Amino acid sequence: MKSAESLYERIVEASPYPVYLCSGEDLVITVANNAALKVWGKDKSILGMRFLHALPEHTEQSLITLIQEVYDSGKADQSIKNSVELLFNDEKKIVIYNYNFQAMRNELGSITGVLCFATDVTNDELLEVNASNEKLVSSNEELAVANEELIDIQERMREQAIEKQVALDRLKAQEGNIKNMVNQAPVGMCIVQGDPLYAVEVNDIFLNLIGKTREELSVNPFWTVNAEIAVHYEPIINNVFATGTSFHADEHEMMLIRSGKEEIVNVDFVYEPMLDEQNKAYAIMIVGIDVTDKVVARKKLQRAEESLRLAMEAAGLGSFSINPATKEFKVSPSMKTFFGVDSNESISFETAINQIHEDYRSMVVKNLEAVFTNNTKFDMEYPILGYSDGQTRWVRAVGRMQNVDGTEALTGVLNDITEKRKDEERKNDFIGMVSHELKTPLTSMRGYVQMLLLKMRKQDDEFVVSSLEKTNTQIGKMTTMINGFLNVSRLESGKIHIDHKLFDLAQLVKETEEESLNTISSHKIIFAPVETTMVNADRDKIGQVINNLISNAVKYSVAGTTIYVACVTVGTRALISVRDEGMGIKPQDASKIFERYYRVEGTQMFSISGFGIGLYLCAEIIHRHEGEIWVDSDFGRGSTFSFSLPVVSPETDQA
């Protein structure tokens, strides 16, 4: 615009002819050169006045009409030898002029005024008139060229103005988007700018993070409000401004004065530079998250894990996890020592399995697969041979399937029970020794009692016979208990032998039936159904289990009730069941009934002898045959004890 005005001024002042500019709808005289003022007989006081007020003598003549038409239409116009009556020294005088009128436009192309050029041709001679006309034509041509230049300038200015407005609109929209982003962000955000730095945008989360108010940040420099951290973080922000490179910090511990109180907090924050078109940082966006609670919780968890680790090590425990799909095996350092491996060495799942004693290895693998498939609890005791030292260690492993970092895995602990097993071995050896020593006098005593019974029966001394029979019965019970203790000690010391042979369970049940009918008169025993069922097992040990289950049924049911014994084949399993009509077992006792030395408590149990080893022996014998044993009971109405064994098919038998 300044270039256009200077061009006008240059043209106006340089012209030897009257030139003036009428601006706006009111046609105010804003520019007039000395030649124009001289013709009018006026001075510069008329500048700023409307044309019709400054030169009232022209209002009724054609000149004002021509100027108005050019302003309204925008089309240039010329008037040759236009006669105008002017007032000179209070005298009216007719003056003849040639006029040229050009419309003036702004940068947007709108008409802002009319530029007027005039030539006095009143008393000139024809030659001078012609010369003047030639000069006027030349001037007009120059003016036309100048006007075209002005129009080009105006068009470029209009285009620049449009581009500037578009850029301003985009900038305004961008600023609005940034403001919305800051206000709606789920984390603390603040934009700082200027020298000194001021917060130009900030959300409530950031204010809560630093413990300051919006008013404080709006009227004070950023580092004045946050003076307690300025010494550490102002140089970092200055470096971000200088380099244009962002700065990240995770769980950074800092001291903030929040609401007037000093607080130690942990913050994740980022200083992100905002770059201009020259790729220079003009502002910094600060993004901050208070992670104090997360850090405190993690440290508590770490302390708890460390305490747990120390406690586990002190208790001789080791932890492990097994991924069922990949067999990835993770163990604690203390657990590696169970396998005879140094704590800084790795151990694979295959290596760990291979270190298990071969007598237990297949059962451990089988139980692990059952846990992986059925999500059952893993609880086993077995010996491990040390990888490097060859030492045998007894361990108890307990675990369950759990979700670990989004993946299902078996997690648990391993407990070194070597000393416990040694204590049990010593106890079993002692029990075995004592039981063996007790059997000798009991055997002699039983022989003497039986000899006395034969003698007293011949003498028909009923009292003595009755007493001797009761004594013989008690000796039998004592012998059974001693045999039970001997079997337990042999079982747990690994001295009990399983002699696998092929036989028919139905025949074994038949023999048991004959024996029961001769020895049990207090209860009715029904053996049905009894089907031919071939198994490969220890005949004596399985017979011992059946007899034990029948004896328990007799012991825990009222005399005169019925006991049902069945032998059938279900799929690939042989099933033996013994059902009574006795007192039954409560659910909380049923889950523990096969544990060693476990006895059901209750007033009815005082009159029933036993040490809780019979069912434990039955369960161990069945488990060593890769069978299953269980109980189904209705408390107060009776129980059914059952066990199953793998059957042998005819093809296997022939093989």
Side-chain angles (χ1 to χ4, degrees), residues 54-313:
L55 302 168
E57 59 270 25
H58 291 289
T59 57
E60 294 181 359
Q61 302 180 47
S62 61
L63 189 59
I64 187 63
T65 302
L66 291 173
I67 295 174
Q68 188 67 51
E69 288 178 354
V70 173
Y71 183 87
D72 292 338
S73 65
K75 295 181 179 180
D77 198 0
Q78 293 184 4
S79 177
I80 304 300
K81 297 181 180 181
N82 193 313
S83 177
V84 180
E85 184 177 313
L86 296 176
L87 185 63
F88 290 92
N89 299 323
D90 296 328
E91 292 182 3
K92 290 183 179 181
K93 182 178 179 181
I94 300 298
V95 182
I96 299 174
Y97 284 96
N98 291 336
Y99 290 96
N100 185 283
F101 303 95
Q102 299 286 339
M104 294 295 296
R105 300 177 184 271
N106 60 16
E107 65 273 11
L108 297 179
S110 300
I111 297 174
T112 60
V114 178
L115 185 64
C116 303
F117 298 85
T119 304
D120 186 354
V121 295
T122 306
N123 296 317
D124 293 343
E125 294 180 357
L126 181 58
L127 182 59
E128 292 175 347
V129 171
N130 290 337
S132 297
N133 287 339
E134 289 177 359
K135 291 181 180 180
L136 181 60
V137 170
S138 177
S139 297
N140 287 339
E141 290 176 352
E142 291 180 2
L143 286 173
V145 172
N147 193 49
E148 289 178 0
E149 292 178 358
L150 286 173
I151 291 173
D152 289 340
I153 292 173
Q154 290 171 351
E155 180 62 23
R156 288 196 298 272
M157 292 179 66
R158 186 181 71 84
E159 291 175 354
Q160 292 174 356
I162 293 174
E163 291 176 357
K164 180 180 178 182
Q165 188 60 45
V166 170
L168 290 174
D169 291 342
R170 289 177 179 174
L171 179 61
K172 186 176 181 181
Q174 184 179 10
E175 290 175 347
N177 291 335
I178 293 175
K179 184 174 182 179
N180 290 334
M181 177 189 69
V182 172
N183 291 331
Q184 298 175 14
V187 296
M189 293 187 70
C190 177
I191 297 176
V192 292
Q193 188 175 357
D195 186 15
L197 286 181
Y198 275 86
V200 295
E201 291 291 345
V202 62
N203 63 9
D204 293 337
I205 299 176
F206 190 87
L207 292 172
N208 185 62
L209 171 63
I210 64 175
K212 306 300 190 298
T213 65
R214 191 175 296 275
E215 289 72 23
E216 288 178 290
L217 281 180
S218 64
V219 299
N220 298 298
F222 184 82
W223 294 121
T224 300
V225 177
N226 298 283
E228 68 272 18
I229 59 173
V231 65
H232 297 293
Y233 301 104
E234 186 175 7
I236 298 176
I237 277 192
N238 291 340
N239 185 64
V240 174
F241 267 114
T243 63
T245 304
S246 61
F247 177 83
H248 297 253
D250 295 328
E251 297 183 359
H252 204 73
E253 184 176 280
M254 62 178 68
M255 190 280 291
L256 290 173
I257 299 178
R258 303 205 288 191
S259 302
K261 296 181 180 179
E262 292 185 358
E263 295 185 33
I264 301 297
V265 297
N266 295 92
V267 181
D268 290 346
F269 68 90
V270 178
Y271 293 155
E272 188 67 34
M274 300 176 69
L275 307 177
D276 59 17
E277 59 275 8
Q278 281 80 38
N279 216 30
K280 299 291 185 181
Y282 68 91
I284 302 292
M285 178 181 290
I286 305 174
V287 181
I289 306 173
D290 188 342
V291 293
T292 306
D293 292 342
K294 182 183 78 173
V295 173
V296 171
R298 191 187 70 249
K299 289 182 178 179
K300 286 183 178 179
L301 179 60
Q302 289 173 345
R303 288 195 295 269
E305 289 176 344
E306 179 64 15
S307 299
L308 177 61
R309 185 186 65 80
L310 293 175
M312 290 180 65
E313 290 181 356

Side-chain angles (χ1 to χ4, degrees), residues 622-634:
I622 296 301
H623 289 156
R624 296 196 181 205
H625 282 82
E626 296 186 359
E628 298 179 6
I629 187 169
W630 67 94
V631 60
D632 298 306
S633 184
D634 186 0

Side-chain angles (χ1 to χ4, degrees), residues 368-485:
L368 284 174
E369 292 300 329
V371 173
F372 297 153
T373 305
N374 304 321
N375 196 20
T376 57
K377 180 181 178 181
F378 183 83
D379 191 346
M380 283 192 68
E381 295 182 2
Y382 49 86
I384 293 176
L385 301 178
Y387 183 78
S388 301
D389 55 18
Q391 183 179 346
T392 299
R393 298 175 179 85
W394 274 89
V395 297
R396 181 186 180 188
V398 180
R400 281 190 179 278
M401 294 295 294
Q402 294 184 0
N403 190 294
V404 180
D405 298 330
T407 303
E408 288 294 320
L410 171 62
T411 62
V413 294
L414 215 67
N415 185 15
D416 188 341
I417 59 171
T418 305
E419 290 302 318
K420 175 186 173 184
R421 294 289 298 198
K422 288 181 179 179
D423 289 341
E424 290 181 351
E425 287 177 5
R426 288 190 286 266
K427 178 190 67 178
N428 290 331
D429 290 342
F430 174 75
I431 291 174
M433 180 186 65
V434 171
S435 299
H436 186 269
E437 293 299 322
L438 286 175
K439 282 188 70 177
T440 301
L442 277 176
T443 302
S444 299
M445 188 183 299
R446 189 168 195 173
Y448 287 124
V449 169
Q450 289 176 348
M451 290 173 59
L452 286 172
L453 266 173
L454 291 173
K455 188 175 183 179
M456 289 300 104
R457 282 174 181 151
K458 293 178 181 179
Q459 298 179 4
D460 292 331
D461 190 335
E462 295 182 1
F463 174 77
V464 175
V465 170
S466 176
S467 298
L468 289 173
E469 286 178 345
K470 291 178 180 178
T471 301
N472 190 49
T473 300
Q474 295 302 318
I475 291 173
K477 290 181 179 180
M478 181 71 73
T479 302
T480 300
M481 285 190 292
I482 290 173
N483 287 335
F485 283 124

Side-chain angles (χ1 to χ4, degrees), residues 540-570:
D540 291 338
K541 298 297 188 300
I542 299 302
Q544 182 181 341
V545 171
I546 296 173
N547 285 321
N548 197 308
L549 294 180
I550 293 174
S551 297
N552 270 3
V554 171
K555 185 188 299 185
Y556 292 102
S557 60
V558 179
T561 57
T562 303
I563 297 172
Y564 301 89
V565 181
C567 174
V568 296
T569 301
V570 179

